[in-house]
Amino acid sequence: MAQDAKRTDAAGSAADAFLSDEERMVRDAARRVAQEVIARTAAERDRLAQWPRAELQALADTGFMGMMVPEAHGGGGLNFLQYCLVIEEISAADCGVGTIVHVHNTTLRMLCDFGTEAQMRRYLPDGVRGARIAASLLTEPHAGSDTAAFRANARREGDSWVLDGTKQFISNGSEAGVAVAIMVTDPAAGRRGFTFFVIDPSDPGYRVLRVEDKLGQQTAHTAQIQLDGLRVGDDAVLGQVGGGYRLVMSALSDGRIAIAAQAVGVAQAALDAAVRYANEREAYGAPIIRLQAVAFKLAEMATQVEAARLLYRNAARLLMSGRPCAKEAAMAKLFASEMAERVCSDALQVHGGYGYLRDFAVERYCRDVRVCKIYEGTSDIQKLIISRNLG
């Protein structure tokens, strides 16, 4: 039977010393549901590529499917750092569930920040309860970070907008009950030519072309979506016509910091597994943790995890204070995602041949965390942002 993740960092993190009592309470609540519900089924769901329906309902029941939705709309009203703490804990149990929850919550937050009262009344209550999973339709087959290359468009026909185009790598897209999509509404207007629309995936014209077969995060379904003559009214515009680019840019730092938290969660789980195994596995008459080569590797891993945790929490606090943090968010995302891949690989190495087997969770961590260097901006994109903010 495959080993599931179990948090063993009883000594805690130095970064935790800076958490408030409320932040600790949120973190501990997330850790409980992550370890008692999500971690126990992670290996089997990974094997079956199974959507975590029951696990998401458990998260909804504890308030984590509407974390940043204001209490007035039935949500948890958590601040951004509290949100990142939750993402870290969920991702330590299952990185794929962390992705589902992140995409769902950030989409609901867009509805809160830019939606009309009617849009919020229609979609937020079901979103908070987990009855509607939310998705964001951004990336296209030939365009990721290069928004200028987007081709999916919305054109006026009488009193309606008609949406056409293909969106790629859409997390939650095949399971969504509500989605926001950025579309080109004026090709000649440059950055002012993009508009977001709120769409109901049950409407005609929303087609799931395929669910991708991926290296990792098997439980987080990623789809290619075709919008084929999907017709909506003006009441589906999110924010203002022509304001889509601004909405995307406003959420970039948030997303990068959250992915840094996700990477830290997976790396911590891998470190926990390696420490546990090194204490249990014996060679030459003693646990291998007493071998300097193993002990020093674990020390380096622990240091890297702690540094990444401090980076993302600092960036989160800067963001909450309203201060510029594009550089710090990019640094956190770059360092954490690169670190997590190294730490997960080192954890597999500590396990030796057993780490290569699916009986042990570390091979899943290696597969799941790799994409953290790609989505929300690749590592090279983060370096570009950092370098442009050094002057």
Side-chain angles (χ1 to χ4, degrees), residues 271-293:
L271 173 62
D272 291 344
V275 170
R276 185 167 58 248
Y277 183 83
N279 276 296
E280 295 171 354
R281 171 71 165 161
E282 291 191 359
Y284 310 107
I288 63 172
I289 199 169
R290 297 185 187 177
L291 299 174
Q292 189 177 78

Side-chain angles (χ1 to χ4, degrees), residues 264 267-268 271 300-310 339 343:
V264 167
Q268 182 67 61
L271 173 62
E300 291 173 356
M301 293 160 65
T303 301
Q304 292 177 54
V305 173
E306 190 67 9
R309 181 176 283 119
L310 287 164
M339 170 281 300
V343 166

